[in-house]
Amino acid sequence: MIHSFRRIWAYRSLRELAFVLVLLVFLPSRVLCATYDCLERDGKASSIDPFRNQGSNATVFVFVRVDCPISNRYAPELNRIARLFSPRGIRFWLVYTDSSTTVAQISQHRETYQYSLDALRDPDHQLADRCIVRVTPEVSVFRRDGQLVYHGRIDDRYVDFGRYRAFAKHHDLEDTLTSILKGTSPPPSSPGVGCAISSYP
Amino acid sequence: MKKKQRASGAQNQGNSSTPRNPSVGVWIVSAIAVLALGVWSYKRSSTSAAPATAYHPRPPGTITFNKHIAPIVYRNCAGCHHESGPGAFKLVSYEEVRKHASDIVSVTKRRYMPPWLPEHTGPALADERRLTPEEIGLIQQWVAEGALEGDGSDSLPTPPPVQEWQLGKPDLIVELPQAYTLRADGKDVYRNFVIPLDQSERRYVRAMEFKPNSKAIHHIFVKFDRTHRSRKLDAEDAEIGFGGMSPPPTVESPGGYFLSWQPGRGPTRSPEGLAWPLEPRSDLVLQAHMQPTGKQEPVKPQIAFYFTQTLPTNTPVKVGLGSFKLEIPPGVNDYTVEDSYELPVDAELLAVLPHAHYLAKEMHAFAVLPTGEKKPLLDINDWDFNWQSDFRFSTPVSLPRNTRLHMRFIYDNSDQNLRNPHQPPVLVRYGSQSTDEMAEMWFQLLTHSPSELQALLADYDKRLIREILDYNSMLLSQNTTNAHAHIQVAKALITMGRKQEAIDHLRRGLRADPSEEEGHYQLGVLLMDSDPALAQTAFQRAILINPENFQALNNLGLIFLHFKQFSEAGAAFEKALALSPNDPTILQNIDLLNRTRSAPTP
């Protein structure tokens, strides 16, 4: 009895070991080392892992769509924030999650809205899931140590479709980036308003 | 085991005063109670607030785009959401609709889309853009089940065609000569674009279509200026048009008509027999509300006009209810404005146009018939300035004489109103800036005979004059050098026969602003009999400011005639006639001049 019990236990532990090994090898490479098609500012295309190309202080992912009017309306504000914080060790990425948007369309879109940010494609929504975003435009801010410190709206100008203030009262993205640089607490994550990233609710 | 059961049975029988299990009677009573409760709650639910038109789910997996969803989308959405339309993205193909499925569910459930402010309470409105509960339910179920396309056996309906001009080749196309460039970001922009029209005679318009040619235009009002004031304002700076929500009072809609456009709105057709006059030498003034889109937008809209030779057989009248005396304190979220007007004649109500700025939240128009019955006409429970429009009734609403028309608006000037342009809120008064407020409910009425039309005009005029006097007196109490207010007060006083007070106001207004053409003209009219020399100077000043003021030229001719300066009189009349051909008054005066000239000298 004891002899067969030991054999079973040993077999089970081997299986578990194999399982853990698989997890260690494949899972991180799928999630933690994921690469995305990247379209840089100069038009150069490559495949890149943004978490290996972070800003010295923080990384910001800005989720947009070529055809979302709310997302597009934020282009000048996003460019302004990027210009302000890029020199201070913050890396910005535009992320396009719509699988039907082509590279040519992304290129055209960036030119039309004069975006100074590099772009990533995330058609499977892996990055979107990791960044906990639901709509465009929403942003996610990761500290250098990989911690997600903010996700959600850029500011509170939009409250709902068709309901917006003349001016924003809270500038959440800007405040988050300032807090990182100063070492203070970021504002709480607040959901944005815009076009759903997922086609289905 | 058997022994145990027998023992418990014996125990029960021996202890009937304290039964462990409820008796049969209790079970029966409970069953009846449950049944009664079931019947009661079923009856209650069937007569409760759930509407008879609530959505009844279809069998799972039977809803497809081709068969069920495409017709809804084509009828209600594709009018804007097509290739060159004002919608931000296309909703024509299955893929396009599927891509936005989640958002379509949210916006239709909330009734944000299709955009339509009025509730379903008053008489039916033409071109209503509203989904039925059935349609909203179908969309939700379709998306919840994975947004099936359907197979080829469901023939897809044809999407609405996108045409150059929906009514065919226009008689006249007017275009902004140069594009205006709207900046990429910031607040909404209000701008007035002036386009001189080269029309030398009056034409009657049976239909009009506006093409924004830009996704940045949110709505426009089409108005006309028969003076050159708008042109001058336009020329004041290098930018095209002139800014603000307050064009000069010379900018007006034609007669009793509303002419507006919002995205999704097709051509505006005049009802039968009601073509409106486009006057000669008018400048078209497009009051545009534009919204920055994130990139610079070139704005170069077009308007198509379709004329008719058939003269109108009737003229509608616009009756406006509201208040100029708004004073909304900060923090108040239910400031109410009410006004009413009793019809002196029978009339048909053709359309209504509510207007306010950002603080209004509810708007109601209703009629109280002579019988005392209250008839709702238009209800808006969540006003959105961006979607303002005139609303035409599918069938004109008959209102008998002595019906009282009512309006009631409610404003929210608290910081909870996120559309409040003032954060923190401040006291808000009547005014034409977007940070001021307005309260206007316009009713477009049609009378049944010329005499009734005159009776309505005369009666409404009296009311209007009192309002103008009230309002401008209020403005003068705030600023005594408001030239325009002085002149408006003077005009009101003239109609009331208070000539000397009118002259006094005209003089004060012209001292404050010598370029008020209307002021000089009205002064001339008042002084023509008592002091023709001074009247002559006044008319000449008016003509210097506006050489096309044919009425001033005509009156100047009369003064020259009075002073027997016949050639000067002739010249003035000729100039006036050139500007207003076939004008019977001018022709009569020329005739008078000729007769006076040829009369033997006593």
Side-chain angles (χ1 to χ4, degrees):
Chain A
M1 263 296 273
I2 293 167
H3 178 67
S4 56
F5 180 70
R6 274 188 190 149
R7 247 198 289 155
I8 290 165
W9 182 88
Y11 174 65
R12 274 186 68 191
S13 76
L14 266 174
R15 270 202 325 200
E16 284 163 358
L17 185 63
F19 181 63
V20 169
L21 280 172
V22 161
L23 272 177
L24 281 173
V25 171
F26 288 106
L27 193 54
S29 71
R30 184 123 171 81
V31 173
L32 299 174
C33 306
T35 60
Y36 303 88
D37 292 337
C38 172
L39 201 63
E40 291 175 57
R41 267 164 283 190
D42 56 9
K44 207 172 72 175
S46 56
S47 192
I48 217 163
D49 174 3
F51 292 95
R52 291 197 174 173
N53 289 274
Q54 296 187 69
S56 52
N57 284 314
T59 300
V60 181
F61 295 101
V62 182
F63 289 80
V64 297
R65 272 180 89 122
V66 303
D67 59 359
C68 177
I70 300 178
S71 173
N72 287 336
R73 241 171 249 150
Y74 271 96
E77 175 68 355
L78 287 164
N79 280 329
R80 183 191 70 80
I81 294 173
R83 268 196 308 274
L84 192 59
F85 287 94
S86 294
R88 294 153 85 180
I90 315 255
R91 184 90 156 92
F92 289 83
W93 300 93
L94 283 175
V95 186
Y96 292 81
T97 54
D98 181 14
S99 55
S100 65
T101 304
T102 63
V103 167
Q105 283 170 328
I106 291 173
S107 192
Q108 174 70 47
H109 182 248
R110 283 177 57 225
E111 200 185 306
T112 305
Y113 289 90
Q114 297 178 7
Y115 272 121
S116 56
L117 287 52
D118 295 331
L120 298 171
R121 290 189 71 231
D122 179 31
D124 299 327
H125 302 179
Q126 276 184 65
L127 188 51
D129 290 342
R130 187 168 174 190
C131 290
I132 316 179
V133 289
R134 290 174 315 106
V135 302
T136 63
E138 272 190 331
V139 296
S140 293
V141 183
F142 288 84
R143 266 202 328 234
R144 177 74 209 197
D145 62 8
Q147 196 194 347
L148 175 62
V149 296
Y150 178 85
H151 62 93
R153 67 187 188 197
I154 296 163
D155 60 34
D156 68 350
R157 191 165 178 207
Y158 272 85
V159 172
D160 201 345
F161 288 125
R163 301 173 82 87
Y164 54 92
R165 303 172 213 278
F167 293 113
K169 273 161 69 162
H170 298 104
H171 300 265
D172 305 86
L173 174 59
E174 210 174 327
D175 291 347
T176 299
L177 300 177
T178 306
S179 75
I180 288 173
L181 295 173
K182 286 187 175 167
T184 53
S185 308
S189 293
S190 302
V193 170
C195 307
I197 284 172
S198 170
S199 296
Y200 305 103
Chain B
M1 299 295 266
K2 276 184 183 176
K3 276 183 184 174
K4 270 188 178 174
Q5 279 172 346
R6 237 183 265 144
S8 61
Q11 246 182 327
N12 281 341
Q13 278 165 11
N15 291 295
S16 55
S17 57
T18 52
R20 282 196 191 129
N21 302 315
S23 69
V24 172
V26 175
W27 282 117
I28 290 170
V29 169
S30 307
I32 291 169
V34 164
L35 196 64
L37 186 69
V39 168
W40 174 76
S41 67
Y42 170 77
K43 277 197 162 172
R44 190 166 174 269
S45 69
S46 64
T47 54
S48 72
T53 50
Y55 177 63
H56 300 289
R58 304 290 175 89
T62 55
I63 306 176
T64 67
F65 176 77
N66 289 357
K67 187 162 175 196
H68 303 94
I69 304 301
I72 298 172
V73 170
Y74 293 168
R75 206 170 35 244
N76 297 281
C77 318
C80 288
H81 288 274
H82 63 257
E83 181 61 53
S84 51
F89 43 81
K90 292 192 284 177
L91 290 175
V92 180
S93 73
Y94 165 67
E95 259 316 305
E96 285 159 357
V97 175
R98 192 203 58 76
K99 221 167 54 155
H100 294 275
S102 180
D103 290 329
I104 291 172
V105 165
S106 337
V107 299
T108 53
K109 198 158 127 182
R110 238 199 74 199
R111 292 191 181 277
Y112 172 61
M113 285 282 148
W116 188 253
L117 293 180
E119 299 296 321
H120 208 49
T121 44
L125 294 167
D127 305 320
E128 187 184 54
R129 297 192 289 206
R130 193 181 167 88
L131 298 183
T132 61
E134 172 79 1
E135 288 167 327
I136 295 173
L138 272 172
I139 291 169
Q140 284 183 30
Q141 187 179 347
W142 177 66
V143 174
E145 291 173 358
L148 302 171
E149 183 173 5
D151 56 33
S153 65
D154 298 322
S155 59
L156 195 58
T158 326
V162 180
Q163 295 149 311
E164 175 77 39
W165 296 106
Q166 292 184 43
L167 300 178
K169 186 166 180 292
D171 296 318
L172 173 69
I173 299 175
V174 175
E175 187 167 357
L176 197 59
Q178 247 184 298
Y180 169 78
T181 305
L182 179 67
R183 54 176 156 74
D185 61 348
K187 280 161 57 166
D188 291 7
V189 171
Y190 303 96
R191 200 148 184 92
N192 304 278
F193 299 116
V194 187
I195 309 170
L197 299 176
D198 235 339
Q199 301 291 299
S200 54
E201 55 180 16
R202 179 187 287 170
R203 314 280 298 267
Y204 290 97
V205 181
R206 62 178 172 86
M208 181 192 87
E209 185 176 352
F210 177 77
K211 261 216 256 163
N213 297 326
S214 162
K215 293 193 200 290
I217 297 185
H218 211 296
H219 72 258
I220 58 128
F221 283 98
V222 177
K223 296 192 177 173
F224 298 89
D225 190 343
R226 299 186 66 190
T227 70
H228 285 182
R229 272 182 88 160
S230 298
R231 266 193 224 182
K232 287 191 182 130
L233 282 169
D234 188 356
E236 268 174 17
D237 64 26
E239 263 203 289
I240 294 163
F242 60 93
M245 279 188 181
S246 55
T250 48
V251 175
E252 295 174 306
S253 319
Y257 295 88
F258 307 133
L259 298 173
S260 77
W261 176 90
Q262 304 75 33
R265 192 162 179 167
T268 305
R269 286 182 190 76
S270 312
E272 199 63 50
L274 292 181
W276 53 267
L278 175 56
E279 300 292 354
R281 288 178 308 281
S282 299
D283 290 349
L284 181 67
V285 181
L286 286 178
Q287 277 189 280
H289 165 209
M290 297 175 283
Q291 225 168 47
T293 63
K295 61 179 170 74
Q296 282 194 335
E297 293 283 354
V299 174
K300 202 168 191 285
Q302 293 167 296
I303 301 192
F305 291 99
Y306 299 82
F307 298 122
T308 175
Q309 301 294 340
T310 314
L311 297 185
T313 50
N314 203 341
T315 312
V317 176
K318 277 194 318 244
V319 162
L321 302 186
S323 174
F324 296 123
K325 295 182 189 162
L326 298 173
E327 271 204 23
I328 315 175
V332 168
N333 67 358
D334 59 355
Y335 183 89
T336 305
V337 171
E338 286 172 312
D339 194 15
S340 66
Y341 173 67
E342 186 173 308
L343 292 177
V345 296
D346 293 343
E348 310 265 291
L349 180 62
L350 303 180
V352 286
L353 170 63
H355 182 74
H357 294 173
Y358 290 102
L359 298 184
K361 58 178 185 186
E362 277 183 49
M363 293 166 150
H364 305 283
F366 57 96
V368 177
L369 303 176
T371 54
E373 180 198 337
K374 180 175 166 180
K375 196 182 173 73
L377 297 170
L378 186 87
D379 293 295
I380 291 174
N381 291 340
D382 186 10
W383 167 247
D384 184 346
F385 180 81
N386 288 339
W387 292 104
Q388 62 185 291
S389 171
D390 55 296
F391 299 100
R392 180 157 297 280
F393 294 101
S394 298
T395 311
V397 184
S398 286
L399 298 174
R401 183 168 167 238
N402 302 130
T403 295
R404 185 161 272 276
L405 297 173
H406 287 262
M407 67 84 81
R408 193 169 105 254
F409 286 5
I410 302 173
Y411 296 80
D412 181 354
N413 192 14
S414 69
D415 59 8
Q416 297 305 301
N417 181 0
L418 69 101
R419 293 187 178 123
N420 196 330
H422 297 281
Q423 296 286 355
V426 302
L427 175 69
V428 170
R429 290 198 171 96
Y430 175 87
S432 50
Q433 301 307 309
S434 62
T435 44
D436 300 322
E437 218 15 277
M438 284 198 170
E440 295 176 359
M441 180 66 88
W442 293 93
F443 298 79
Q444 187 185 39
L445 297 162
L446 201 62
T447 50
H448 298 135
S449 70
S451 61
E452 285 168 292
L453 173 61
Q454 292 312 313
L456 176 59
L457 285 172
D459 188 67
Y460 179 61
D461 237 19
K462 275 201 296 238
R463 182 195 143 98
L464 202 56
I465 284 163
R466 268 198 313 273
E467 275 183 352
I468 289 171
L469 194 57
D470 262 348
Y471 171 59
N472 286 288
S473 304
M474 182 193 78
L475 286 182
L476 286 174
S477 68
Q478 292 165 3
N479 172 16
T480 54
T481 61
N482 186 335
H484 180 70
H486 274 297
I487 286 148
Q488 294 299 102
V489 165
K491 282 166 71 172
L493 291 168
I494 290 169
T495 62
M496 293 157 98
R498 288 152 68 174
K499 272 178 75 169
Q500 202 44 60
E501 291 172 72
I503 290 173
D504 180 52
H505 273 282
L506 286 172
R507 288 211 159 110
R508 284 159 65 189
L510 288 170
R511 252 202 308 279
D513 184 1
S515 73
E516 274 280 358
E517 175 201 339
E518 181 72 6
H520 290 292
Y521 176 78
Q522 293 294 342
L523 190 61
V525 168
L526 283 175
L527 294 173
M528 263 179 96
D529 294 330
S530 55
D531 194 335
L534 265 179
Q536 179 181 334
T537 312
F539 287 131
Q540 279 166 335
R541 286 204 177 123
I543 291 159
L544 205 60
I545 294 165
N546 176 16
E548 294 191 358
N549 189 337
F550 63 88
Q551 285 146 326
L553 281 161
N554 174 71
N555 292 350
L556 190 62
L558 285 171
I559 293 174
F560 282 136
L561 181 57
H562 168 81
F563 287 131
K564 297 193 174 23
Q565 292 168 283
F566 298 132
S567 56
E568 287 90 341
F573 286 138
E574 288 305 318
K575 273 195 198 144
L577 193 66
L579 291 166
S580 181
N582 307 315
D583 190 316
T585 310
I586 302 170
L587 288 169
Q588 253 180 315
N589 290 336
I590 291 175
D591 189 53
L592 176 63
L593 169 64
N594 292 336
R595 281 187 284 115
T596 312
R597 254 175 163 160
S598 56
T601 334

